[in-house]
Amino acid sequence: MKVTVVGAGAVGASCAEYIAIKNFASEVVILDIKEGFAEGKAMDLMQTASLNGFDTKITGSTNDYSKTANSDICVITSGIPRKPGMTREELIGINAGIVKMVSSSLIDHSPNTIIIVVSNPMDTMTYLVHKTTGLPKNRIIGMGGALDSARFKYRLAEALGAPISDVDGMVIGGHSDKGMVPLTRLATRNSVPVSEFISEERLQQVLEDTKVGGATLTGLLGTSAWYAPGAAVSGLVQAIACDQQKIFPCSTLLEGEYGLNDLCIGVPVVLGKNGIEKIVEIKLSDAEKAQMQESAKGVKATNALLEL
Ligand SMILES: NC(=O)C1=CN([C@@H]2O[C@H](COP(=O)(O)OP(=O)(O)OC[C@H]3O[C@@H](n4cnc5c(N)ncnc54)[C@H](O)[C@@H]3O)[C@@H](O)[C@H]2O)C=CC1
Ligand SMILES: O=C([O-])CC(=O)C(=O)O
């Protein structure tokens, strides 16, 4: 199993590290445009192999896509991150050009690959990869919901005073400060609805904190987060590489599902060896449906800025 990670920055390196530590891939290639940067990150990570006990071979490449040839899975993290006070959508001007160029170079060398898009604004970048590569929809996956759900669980556990492993919950919708739809109605503590334990008001606070999870960290760090994003990507890569058939919320091209068309947005999907094996349509309440419609409107407004 060969995995390429484009972008050796904060998220790309974290993602490569988690993939290696989980020890399921034979090879990870990190590629970056900055001279020597990917090679340096790869060497540094390889020097953790004996310490962390993994056999994955990590190599770096300065913009040489021949090194990525025949990758089973490619992750796109190249592009600029936001700074405090910015929205993800403001990154489109620079990141669209980068993602377009990177995705076509990847496909030139790995025509059968599955692509995971991370660069922001992620839902729009995922849509752009569809338009650029024309790959079947099961092979293009946007990562956002897996991360947002991890943050939701963190906030739920905090509110409940419970261990995170006792808590379950999912966030669907657009990966944006306003567009996320945390499904509080379906969140549970060990199968019991969380509303049994905390007030509606506290749950609303959890929802609001979850939606601005990325912005909160950007305010604290001066740039956006990388550990949880890297871990979330590694979870998707592992589910595909190991044909786990697990459900994650991912951004995928909708063609009528959830009453939505011609956009990529976060919904639950089953991930396995073919990438997206199935879009899972869960029954939403009227309020949740309305939130999804509103979220889709936001994503479509950003998509309209693309030069396709
Ligand atoms: N979807 C999600 O949940 C998340 C998305 N992100 C996004 O991921 C992206 C990367 O974030 P960071 O790693 O923090 O940024 P970073 O600045 O640390 O790393 C980005 C890397 O991309 C490289 N790069 C730029 N243009 C390139 C090109 N044409 N080819 C190859 N490499 C190129 C840069 O040299 C840099 O090393 C950002 O757009 C950020 O908003 C970040 C966290 C979560
Ligand atoms: O907040 C950002 O800009 C980066 C990101 O998507 C996240 O951490 O959720």
Side-chain angles (χ1 to χ4, degrees):
M1 175 62 55
K2 178 172 176 178
V3 181
T4 285
V5 179
V6 182
V11 177
S14 162
C15 159
E17 180 176 18
Y18 284 119
I19 291 170
I21 284 177
K22 292 179 182 179
N23 212 15
F24 59 83
S26 50
E27 190 180 355
V28 174
V29 178
I30 312 175
L31 181 145
D32 202 283
I33 200 162
K34 215 192 305 176
E35 186 69 41
F37 194 52
E39 288 86 341
K41 290 277 180 112
M43 192 185 290
D44 193 9
L45 282 171
M46 275 308 279
Q47 291 170 0
T48 71
S50 61
L51 300 164
N52 285 330
F54 63 78
D55 297 315
T56 302
K57 183 180 162 210
I58 309 169
T59 55
S61 161
T62 302
N63 222 28
D64 177 0
Y65 281 85
S66 68
K67 303 259 174 66
T68 71
N70 301 317
S71 292
D72 300 286
I73 303 170
C74 294
V75 180
I76 302 179
T77 77
S78 46
I80 54 165
R82 63 174 157 166
K83 296 225 177 322
M86 288 175 76
T87 64
R88 295 178 181 87
E89 289 76 6
E90 286 175 70
L91 304 172
I92 190 172
I94 292 178
N95 287 354
I98 294 174
V99 169
K100 195 170 179 175
M101 191 275 289
V102 165
S103 58
S104 46
S105 302
L106 287 171
I107 290 303
D108 284 348
H109 292 83
S110 303
N112 300 317
T113 198
I114 291 169
I115 295 185
I116 298 179
V117 183
V118 182
S119 310
N120 274 315
M122 182 277 295
D123 297 291
T124 294
M125 293 303 102
T126 307
Y127 185 73
L128 176 63
V129 171
H130 271 287
K131 293 290 179 193
T132 305
T133 65
L135 287 184
K137 64 187 264 184
N138 60 302
R139 286 168 49 201
I140 302 175
I141 302 161
M143 194 294 289
L147 169 64
D148 302 332
S149 300
R151 290 180 175 151
F152 185 34
K153 286 179 243 189
Y154 164 79
R155 289 297 185 188
L156 280 169
E158 181 183 58
L160 290 159
I164 294 182
S165 58
D166 227 18
V167 169
D168 206 3
M170 183 161 59
V171 178
I172 60 173
H175 180 61
S176 65
D177 298 342
K178 294 200 175 121
M180 284 178 214
V181 183
L183 296 173
T184 49
R185 180 179 60 90
L186 301 177
T188 58
R189 176 175 183 179
N190 202 352
S191 308
V192 182
V194 292
S195 54
E196 298 276 332
F197 303 107
I198 50 174
S199 66
E200 189 48 47
E201 200 182 17
R202 186 69 184 89
L203 203 46
Q204 188 59 30
Q205 188 60 50
V206 165
L207 179 145
E208 298 302 338
D209 290 344
T210 300
K211 288 172 75 167
V212 295
T216 302
L217 283 162
T218 305
L220 291 168
L221 296 165
T223 184
S224 55
W226 56 89
Y227 294 119
V233 175
S234 76
L236 306 193
V237 172
Q238 186 173 23
I240 298 164
C242 304
D243 193 23
Q244 287 177 327
Q245 304 288 323
K246 277 175 99 162
I247 292 184
F248 293 88
C250 290
S251 190
T252 183
L253 186 72
L254 295 186
E255 295 169 303
E257 300 91 347
Y258 289 90
L260 299 171
N261 262 299
D262 193 31
L263 84 167
C264 294
I265 193 166
V267 295
V269 302
V270 175
L271 290 186
K273 64 178 184 310
N274 300 304
I276 294 179
E277 304 280 350
K278 184 179 184 289
I279 293 175
V280 181
E281 283 208 71
I282 53 176
K283 205 166 178 323
L284 298 179
S285 68
D286 288 346
E288 290 157 354
K289 276 186 205 156
Q291 287 166 41
M292 275 301 271
Q293 290 290 340
E294 203 49 38
S295 182
K297 239 192 249 174
V299 173
K300 283 207 165 181
T302 310
N303 291 354
L305 301 174
L306 290 172
E307 287 166 20
L308 295 172

